[in-house]
Amino acid sequence: MRGAGLLGRPAAIVLVGLLAALFAVAPAAADPNGVGVDVAMDLRDDGTLGVTTTITAPTGRAVAQRLPLDVQVEGSRIQHFTVSDVKAENGTATVADGALQVSAPGGTTKVTYTVRGTVENGPELQQFTWPIAAGYTVDLERLTATFGSPAAAPDSPLCGIGSPGERRLCSMTETDATGHVSMQQTGLPKGKAAVFTVLLPARTVKADARFTSAAPSRAAEPGTAALIALSLGTVLALAAAGFALLRRRADDAAAESAGPTADLLVPAGAAGGRAGTVAFASPDGVLPGQVGALADGRVRPSDIGATVLDLAVRGYLWIAQLPGGDYQISRRAPLDDAVSPTERAVVDAILPDGAESTTTGELAGGARPVALSGARSAARASVIERGWVRTLPRARRTALAFAVAEVGAIAALICAFVGATVLWALAVIILGLGLTVAALLLPERTVAGSRLAAGVGGMRQYLIATNVGALPPEQRAQLFERGLPYAHAFGDLRGWVGTWGGTVGAPLDWYRSAQGPVAGLTTLGAVLDGVAAQAAAGEID
């Protein structure tokens, strides 16, 4: 007891709950079997407690009780009781193994004993505590008790019963004019405890309660660890979802902040070319066939078409428009180290087994199988290798994260079935759900990919906004040809050819059409995209 403020009714309720929880096993309804217990308590001036317990049961109905004498109470303290002068009529009662053990064969059994250690001293009040009924092996149909002491007006008498998590008062507790307290409880399931506490004026009796510090309960350690795990899982889930949300906002902001690129034509000397001339340079060296994978992690049909056009512009393929609207695609120069794995895969798909030439009619008509799955895989692998896109696509990330939550849910069902704590499983569920939200929010692009996406957006604006007439003729031709595959990847090929086509007077060295230098280029782009889309659909089927 630490003082009047700590020994009021709230503290008593807490103490009763702790003692009741100690003796509890599982909540259950009392079985009306005719077993009754009456407890008479008399607190004497010397601090000893005289107890007379009368157990009434049907003839032949055996009743047993084991009441521990070392009881953990508030905080981490253990209160130690001492029982002596034990006598029993029609039964046996002994103190053994740290407990009062009673055996009643049926009928009426009376047990008397003396208890020490029930009263704790404090500055202004004394607190009395004793478990009046605990450790019975059968349900009690009724429980009655009385308490007498030298105090004329005991304060805050409290009788409580329950199991872990319960704080339920006895059916009736009252004090008469002489200071005697009587209690009554209708039904007490076996395994539950009924605990009585009362406050007395200071120095009413001799206080001899003994307490020791309780070592941390091993049974409580898993619960504490599980709560820590639950808290940690919640923190990690919130952190993952918060990080993904911030990355999504930063990625969106980077894409929306794109402004026209300063220039795509740089001095050739800086790009390893001949001094005094200019060279085409895309942001971070991104290829036309990587635009779709950079945008949303998917390789689009227009990426394949843009790759074919870019290879032709760079001199590796030659394209001619044939009478009737078909197009011929032929090898022009051997593929060298400047050709990426994605571009090689595209060439191998449209010109397999070293074929020198084909037509778009053959590709679209199924005369030659077009296997572009390797090209698409290589395109995605290239943006991952450059650190622009994450290794795992969103669908796979989400599936893996949700699998964590599913494992937690299954574990929770198993724990509930076997009666174990579900806190560990709940921690896994929360973590899995947090990771799922993070997987859905996290953009496909990395931080470097977000910066490049802004640069690619600026490149597109530059291609749209550049004044054709302001460029020298030699730069105009170079920008038209090198920018054409990118315009196709952006979906702007028709506008690109419409704006620049009138400036092209001489035939292009990689494309021929009887209708004019740039005639049929927009149709060519559409046909190439159609071949790629048809190949992708065939692979799905």
Side-chain angles (χ1 to χ4, degrees), residues 55-132:
I55 302 173
T56 305
T59 303
R61 180 66 184 268
V63 178
Q65 179 191 25
R66 186 184 187 281
L67 194 154
L69 301 180
D70 299 314
V71 179
Q72 184 169 351
V73 293
E74 54 184 317
S76 58
R77 299 190 306 165
I78 295 179
Q79 185 169 0
H80 302 279
F81 301 102
T82 302
V83 172
S84 60
D85 303 329
V86 181
K87 297 178 182 179
E89 298 177 9
N90 188 31
T92 61
T94 59
V95 176
D97 299 327
L100 172 64
Q101 302 188 31
V102 178
S103 177
T108 300
T109 299
K110 180 179 293 187
V111 179
T112 60
Y113 52 89
T114 300
V115 183
R116 292 185 180 275
T118 60
V119 179
E120 179 184 6
N121 229 350
E124 298 179 4
L125 296 171
Q126 292 182 320
Q127 178 168 302
F128 168 87
T129 302
W130 177 247
I132 55 178

Side-chain angles (χ1 to χ4, degrees), residues 400-541:
L400 290 176
F402 194 71
V404 175
E406 289 178 330
V407 170
I410 294 172
L413 291 176
I414 295 174
C415 290
F417 181 77
V418 301
T421 178
V422 300
L423 293 180
W424 292 98
L426 184 59
V428 176
I429 293 174
I430 293 175
L431 178 60
L433 293 178
L435 293 176
T436 301
V437 173
L440 292 172
L441 290 176
L442 195 66
E444 294 287 348
R445 291 186 289 259
T446 62
V447 175
S450 298
R451 289 195 296 264
L452 179 58
V456 170
M459 178 184 184
R460 181 180 186 182
Q461 294 186 31
Y462 173 85
L463 294 177
I464 295 173
T466 298
N467 184 357
V468 178
L471 295 175
E474 64 277 6
Q475 294 185 15
R476 189 183 308 162
Q478 185 174 27
L479 183 60
F480 169 73
E481 293 189 49
R482 292 303 307 276
L484 185 143
Y486 291 93
H488 179 64
F490 294 143
D492 301 331
L493 181 58
R494 182 175 298 277
W496 183 256
V497 173
T499 300
W500 290 76
T503 67
V504 181
L508 303 174
D509 65 351
W510 54 272
Y511 177 74
R512 289 292 185 274
S513 172
Q515 308 300 321
V518 297
L521 279 177
T522 56
T523 303
L524 171 63
V527 171
L528 292 174
D529 292 355
V531 170
Q534 180 177 314
E539 290 164 4
I540 295 176
D541 294 339

Side-chain angles (χ1 to χ4, degrees), residues 42-68:
D42 180 24
L43 184 62
R44 303 157 186 156
D45 292 331
D46 61 359
T48 60
L49 176 70
V51 180
T52 300
T53 299
T54 303
I55 302 173
T56 305
T59 303
R61 180 66 184 268
V63 178
Q65 179 191 25
R66 186 184 187 281
L67 194 154

Side-chain angles (χ1 to χ4, degrees), residues 325-427:
D326 205 355
Y327 294 87
Q328 179 181 340
I329 304 174
S330 305
R331 293 178 186 269
R332 184 179 178 189
L335 304 182
D336 54 23
D337 293 341
V339 178
S340 70
T342 302
E343 294 168 331
R344 288 181 182 275
V346 171
V347 173
D348 290 341
I350 63 176
L351 296 170
D353 303 323
E356 290 294 328
S357 180
T358 188
T359 65
T360 53
E362 292 177 346
L363 298 175
R368 287 184 176 180
V370 183
L372 289 169
S373 60
R376 286 192 297 272
S377 298
R380 176 167 175 81
S382 68
V383 295
I384 293 175
E385 184 178 353
R386 293 294 302 272
W388 297 335
V389 173
R390 304 185 188 282
T391 303
L392 290 178
R394 178 177 289 113
R396 188 173 300 177
R397 293 196 308 265
T398 304
L400 290 176
F402 194 71
V404 175
E406 289 178 330
V407 170
I410 294 172
L413 291 176
I414 295 174
C415 290
F417 181 77
V418 301
T421 178
V422 300
L423 293 180
W424 292 98
L426 184 59

Side-chain angles (χ1 to χ4, degrees), residues 57-311:
T59 303
R61 180 66 184 268
V63 178
Q65 179 191 25
R66 186 184 187 281
L67 194 154
L69 301 180
D70 299 314
V71 179
Q72 184 169 351
V73 293
E74 54 184 317
S76 58
R77 299 190 306 165
I78 295 179
Q79 185 169 0
H80 302 279
F81 301 102
T82 302
V83 172
S84 60
D85 303 329
V86 181
K87 297 178 182 179
E89 298 177 9
N90 188 31
T92 61
T94 59
V95 176
D97 299 327
L100 172 64
Q101 302 188 31
V102 178
S103 177
T108 300
T109 299
K110 180 179 293 187
V111 179
T112 60
Y113 52 89
T114 300
V115 183
R116 292 185 180 275
T118 60
V119 179
E120 179 184 6
N121 229 350
E124 298 179 4
L125 296 171
Q126 292 182 320
Q127 178 168 302
F128 168 87
T129 302
W130 177 247
I132 55 178
Y136 282 98
T137 58
V138 298
D139 295 339
L140 303 185
E141 183 175 345
R142 62 191 178 279
L143 169 66
T144 56
T146 59
F147 173 79
S149 71
D155 186 21
S156 301
L158 185 65
C159 173
I161 64 170
S163 58
E166 294 183 2
R167 297 293 185 271
R168 185 158 60 91
L169 299 181
C170 294
S171 302
M172 183 190 72
T173 303
E174 61 181 9
T175 305
D176 62 19
T178 63
H180 282 75
V181 182
S182 59
M183 295 148 276
Q184 180 177 319
Q185 169 59 30
T186 303
L188 182 69
K190 63 180 179 180
K192 288 192 176 182
V195 183
F196 175 67
T197 64
V198 68
L199 302 180
L200 306 172
R203 296 181 297 278
T204 298
V205 297
K206 180 181 179 181
D208 58 358
R210 295 185 302 112
F211 298 90
T212 58
S213 297
S217 172
R218 293 186 177 272
E221 289 176 3
T224 302
L227 287 174
I228 294 175
L230 180 62
S231 302
L232 182 60
T234 303
V235 170
L236 291 177
L238 293 175
F243 170 77
L245 179 61
L246 292 177
R247 275 293 302 124
R248 167 59 66 87
R249 291 181 175 178
D251 184 72
D252 293 342
E256 294 172 359
S257 65
T261 302
D263 203 346
L264 297 176
L265 298 176
V266 299
R274 182 167 52 88
T277 61
V278 294
F280 182 88
S282 63
D284 208 6
V286 65
L287 296 171
Q290 295 173 324
V291 169
L294 177 65
D296 55 16
R298 296 184 299 108
V299 180
R300 307 166 180 170
S302 58
D303 295 331
I304 303 298
T307 298
V308 174
L309 292 175
D310 192 48
L311 287 169

